[in-house]
Structure formats: C-alpha cells, structure tokens
Amino acid sequence: MRLSRLILAVCGTAALAAASGVFVVALSLALYAALEPTLGAAGAAAAVAVACLLILASAGLVLLLIATRRPRRAAAAEGGDLGAELLELARRRPVLALFGAAAATAIGLSALRNPRIVSGLVSVVLGLRRPL
C-alpha cells in the first residue's frame, strides 16, 4: 500500500513539474510577445533571456543557501504547528520564503487560469483515477 502511494506521489510531482515547465514556457512566450513590438525581435529575446537568467540565479542562490546552512542549535519539537514552523522558516531564511511565496503565487495564478489542470493533478496524486 505504501509503495503505491509513493509511486503516485512521485507521478504527481512529475506532473506538477511538467506543468510548471509548460507554464514557464508560456510565460516566456507571453513576455516575448509583449516586448517584441517595442524592443524588436532581438531585444525581446534578450529580455526573455535576462528574465530566465534572473530566475535561475535566484533559484541557484536559494539552493546554495540551503546547502551551506548551519546545523540547528536546538532540536525542533515533534508534532509542532505547521504555521509556526513556516513563520520560523521565513524568519531564518527570508530569501527561501520569498521564493516559496513567488512559487505559491504562480501556482495559484495558473490554477485560476486553468482549474482543469489542478483538478487533474489533485486526482492523480490522490489516486482518484489512473493517469493515461
């Protein structure tokens, strides 16, 4: 039973990653289409490349901060409040909290634009139907 839930969680994560990739490509195309009339084709392509570079640099910085973090001084209490833990994480790692908030906002906006994708991902993760 546990193995099937693990497989479903991995498949759901992969589907979410693929949907995120499609969202990033669509957002890049929209940015290019918005900037192309004013900057021209080359300028719009350069602006999209700079935007992608900034996103990758911020993600790399977050991963670097996570990899070089100091060990905890005090052990966390088991079964703590999730909200309190998230607030403590935001106090300790503000860059990570900002990145998480941006990711949650992007996911929320994409869910508002196309709720069918979100319902499909939730049903795959919960095992309500088998993926095709």
Side-chain angles (χ1 to χ4, degrees):
M1 182 69 179
R2 288 185 178 182
L3 182 61
S4 64
R5 285 196 178 260
L6 177 66
I7 290 172
L8 283 174
V10 168
C11 290
T13 304
L16 185 62
S20 299
V22 169
F23 180 71
V24 167
V25 169
L27 198 60
S28 298
L29 183 61
L31 179 63
Y32 177 82
L35 294 177
E36 197 263 333
T38 57
L39 298 177
V48 170
V50 167
C52 289
L53 176 69
L54 290 175
I55 291 170
L56 289 175
S58 64
L61 179 65
V62 167
L63 290 176
L64 181 66
L65 290 174
I66 290 172
T68 59
R69 68 179 176 196
R70 296 183 190 131
R72 287 185 164 180
R73 292 182 202 147
E78 292 289 330
D81 184 25
L82 180 62
E85 289 180 19
L86 288 175
L87 285 175
E88 179 63 28
L89 177 68
R91 275 189 223 110
R92 282 193 337 253
R93 308 257 186 247
V95 174
L96 180 64
L98 180 65
F99 188 71
T105 303
I107 290 171
L109 288 175
S110 66
L112 286 175
R113 303 237 352 147
N114 195 354
R116 191 186 306 170
I117 292 175
V118 176
S119 65
L121 290 175
V122 168
S123 65
V124 167
V125 169
L126 295 178
L128 299 177
R129 65 179 177 167
R130 291 188 174 164
L132 298 175

